Amino acid sequence: MLLKKTDIEQRLALLKSKDGSSNDILDQVYQILETNDVAPVTSEPKNGSVTTVSNNFIFDELESHRVYHIEQIKQICIDYRLRFLDSKYFKGKIPKAAKAEILRLEELHHTELGGFKIMAPSKLFKLEDKDDPLLFAPIGNGYFYLIHKWGNDLHPLRKMLVWPFKNILNLTLTTLVISYFATLLVPNGLFSKNESSTEFWMMFFFMFKSIAAIVIFYGFALGKNFNPAIWNSKYYNA
């Protein structure tokens, strides 16, 4: 049985429904738009676009299922090791459908949209690929409006594969588990004729030190960091 790929837009919607914010989110956005005096900038996302704090949306034309708070976006980025950066850092091609949706929203809301953000895997901010970018425009006060999603969905096991990189505890537990199974692969009696638990745990300790050393070297050599530290960082070695 093939595993279903991960649709990030669906995960965002599920997270919003779980925290109960979907019911009153438009009330909060309405208050933001009522006091929003920030002038719009740039008409479409492209390299070199200017970041803006908010856009002048018309409240009655907003769709609540497309409005997300920065904390919800952050949580999804951390869970799936994604980045949420200005569109000027995006190195892939923004499809015509996304640009057409921007023009439609600009006409609908009688404004020019700007300050675009994209949620995508790190590699999409370096080179072209076919994963699952999401394009957002800021509303203000930490709220963003989902404009368009394109590309393929994420690998179904991505959340599990990047789980060790969420924090130091997860990475340590993963290293311990790998070390344990690696120790089981060592033939019994390799170093002594008599099998004993002491020999097993000594070999386990040796395996753990070796694997931990490789993990630390890999992390420092390639400038890797944990998910919470990179989700909104524009630096490759953040």
Side-chain angles (χ1 to χ4, degrees):
M1 179 179 177
L2 295 177
L3 295 175
K4 185 179 179 181
K5 290 189 174 182
T6 301
D7 187 323
I8 291 300
E9 184 178 356
Q10 290 182 359
R11 297 296 177 181
L12 265 173
L14 181 61
L15 179 62
K16 185 167 67 172
S17 65
K18 283 183 177 180
D19 64 23
S21 62
S22 55
N23 297 326
D24 60 351
I25 195 168
L26 283 184
D27 292 335
Q28 299 176 43
V29 171
Y30 177 76
Q31 296 176 10
I32 295 170
L33 294 177
E34 280 292 287
T35 58
N36 181 16
D37 297 324
V38 180
V41 296
T42 66
S43 58
E44 64 179 49
K46 51 190 175 183
N47 290 346
S49 63
V50 179
T51 300
T52 186
V53 176
S54 62
N55 286 285
N56 295 323
F57 289 100
I58 297 175
F59 174 76
D60 291 336
E61 301 294 346
L62 290 175
E63 300 173 63
S64 60
H65 69 276
R66 298 173 75 173
V67 179
Y68 296 96
H69 192 265
I70 188 63
E71 290 300 322
Q72 295 159 352
I73 295 172
K74 177 181 178 181
Q75 186 59 54
I76 292 296
C77 286
I78 291 175
D79 286 345
Y80 292 91
R81 198 171 176 83
L82 305 175
R83 299 212 186 193
F84 186 62
L85 300 176
D86 292 345
S87 61
K88 65 181 180 180
Y89 298 111
F90 187 67
K91 302 303 181 183
K93 292 181 180 179
I94 295 178
K96 293 181 179 179
K99 295 180 180 180
E101 179 63 13
I102 291 172
L103 294 176
R104 186 189 74 81
L105 289 173
E106 288 181 337
E107 182 177 355
L108 181 66
H109 292 271
H110 307 293
T111 188
E112 284 188 277
L113 299 179
F116 299 100
K117 295 271 191 178
I118 291 181
M119 176 197 289
S122 298
K123 58 187 176 181
L124 286 187
F125 292 100
K126 308 302 175 187
L127 46 87
E128 292 187 15
D129 207 322
K130 296 182 179 179
D131 280 320
D132 190 19
L134 275 67
L135 177 66
F136 294 83
I139 297 175
N141 285 19
Y143 287 92
F144 290 83
Y145 196 68
L146 176 60
I147 293 179
H148 189 71
K149 187 196 84 168
W150 68 95
N152 298 327
D153 292 331
L154 298 176
H155 191 281
L157 299 179
R158 182 180 179 91
K159 185 176 182 179
M160 182 180 70
L161 294 174
V162 302
W163 181 83
F165 306 107
K166 288 185 69 174
N167 52 57
I168 186 64
L169 177 60
N170 289 10
L171 186 60
T172 302
L173 289 175
T174 302
T175 305
L176 286 169
V177 171
I178 294 175
S179 302
Y180 179 80
F181 284 105
T183 305
L184 292 178
L185 296 176
V186 177
N188 292 328
L190 181 63
F191 298 103
S192 65
K193 294 182 179 180
N194 299 321
E195 297 180 16
S196 66
S197 59
T198 301
E199 180 184 348
F200 176 85
W201 290 113
M202 287 181 63
M203 179 57 64
F204 170 77
F205 182 65
F206 173 79
M207 284 290 184
F208 175 75
K209 288 200 304 180
S210 301
I211 295 174
I214 294 173
V215 170
I216 293 172
F217 174 79
Y218 173 80
F220 278 104
L222 298 183
K224 298 298 181 180
N225 209 331
F226 295 107
N227 300 359
I230 70 166
W231 75 275
N232 63 345
S233 174
K234 64 182 181 181
Y235 298 106
Y236 176 77
N237 58 347

